[in-house]
Amino acid sequence: MRATIREQMVGAINTYEDKARDQWIFDFPAQVALACTQIWWTTEVCLAFGQLEDGNENALREYHRKQVAQLNTLVSLLMGRLSPKDRQKVMTVCTIDVHARDVVSRMIAEKADSVQAFVWQSQLRHRWDDYTKHCFANICDAEFCYGYEYLGNTPRLVITPLTDRCYITLTQALHLNMSGATAGPAGTGKTETTKDLGRALGVMVYVFNCSEQMDYKVNCIQQAVRARKETFNFQGEDISLVCPVGIFITMNPGYAGRTELPENLKSLFRPCAMVLPDFELICEIMLVAEGFMEARPLARKFISLYRLCKELLSKQEHYDWGLRAIKSVLVVAGSLKRSDPTRPEDQVLMRTLRDFNLPKVVSADLPIFLGLVKDLFPSLNVPRSRDDAFEQGVMQAVLELGLQAEESFMLKVVQLHELLEVRHSVFIVGAAGTGKSQVLRTLHKTYQLTGKRPLWADLNPKAVTTDDLFGIVHPTTREWKDGIFSSVMRDQANMTLDQPKWIVLDGDIDPMWIESLNTVMDDNKVS
């Protein structure tokens, strides 16, 4: 695996200048193309600094103009017809290109005059060593050999000044054979930043939830790293240690259901405080990557709406106007834009913001929310996108279940269906007797009537202990014993038919059991 990716990188670097960049990226796998664009970015910035020292005062500005032209070419590619894999590749290169453009404009603004300037040294810079035929990543005084692990065609994180600071802290921790601990509120990018650093270094990142079952036996990896060993014994088996390897933890200080890390463990981790990220910048770059040409003004409207919702709407426990919510709405906006390319961009975004958020807004807040949308998008009245055949199926299901075909109830069924199209985890919340179970039953019946053959597994998470629900590693034999949830999930995953598969956890939410589902419900999708 490593040899193949390394060989591909040699070919990609040598042919980069032979053809236009927007044609070259389709000749190589996504991971290779992305790594090589970053290598060439470092090379071209160093060349510009060389010209600057030789007396060409406009060298960086000229390179910046070239970057803007390259980025515009890629964005215009996104407007055309691309296969899903090629689209993901171009979107990822766009995301990294925007950051590269911003770094160069910052160096121009700060009048950086050599490669030794801190604004340049503090960036994660990829370079190719012709002597060793290896890719290296440098940041400050730390240097890492690229891992060459196959990561696939994965999206990359929008890099903001907060991400840059976090990169410096985590790479310094790795450089000193320590580990990193990012701490901060939910939705500030702790896990995603760590995963993205792994992708930048060509190293696979595995995310799992730390419950009480985590014990000291993982410590042998940390000890092997600190001792710089080449092989070590891991649970009775000798395995090789390939650097860079690191153990990172994310913490939410003061959250219910979380325990503080003991001081003797804290000393092994280098702390990094994560505060609220720059939402507007993230939104703008993601809109660019989704193919929106008017990304900046639309991002401003998007973030203004979410900020006003947070301030003016009532405080409901299920409301989320943070980074995760922003990200999921942007993905929907991108798919809507591609399905209706002739529609103006402000109409696409307005429809997405309205229709995707309406299901979670309580009735008392509805007039305020719709008023805010109307104020930010004046004189726009875009009808809701409707699937008449599906709504007819909902009507039939309601009548067969002996319920009343009331308009607001049927709308909730349609909204649940639309949410399940883009989310793999959905909460249905409300007081007793408000129709939560009936909405589920109606959608299930609709799927049956439309020939989708849905699967439904219903369990009460409070009826059994957490160990019985999720499974446990036996402390003596170290053998894994499946719980009810993990057993049902495994059975459903083994069914190869393309059909809706539901695991309904019907009961009160409390931190004791919901915490263990953190990594299942977020973007990691790992149990």
Side-chain angles (χ1 to χ4, degrees), residues 360-379:
K360 70 179 178 189
V361 177
V362 297
S363 53
D365 288 335
L366 215 50
I368 305 169
F369 175 74
L370 291 172
L372 289 172
V373 173
K374 197 172 181 182
D375 289 346
L376 284 165
F377 297 92
S379 71

Side-chain angles (χ1 to χ4, degrees), residues 41-51 115 120 125:
W41 172 61
T42 307
T43 306
E44 289 176 332
V45 170
C46 291
L47 285 171
F49 273 126
Q51 291 170 6
V115 289
W120 175 241
R125 312 176 308 281

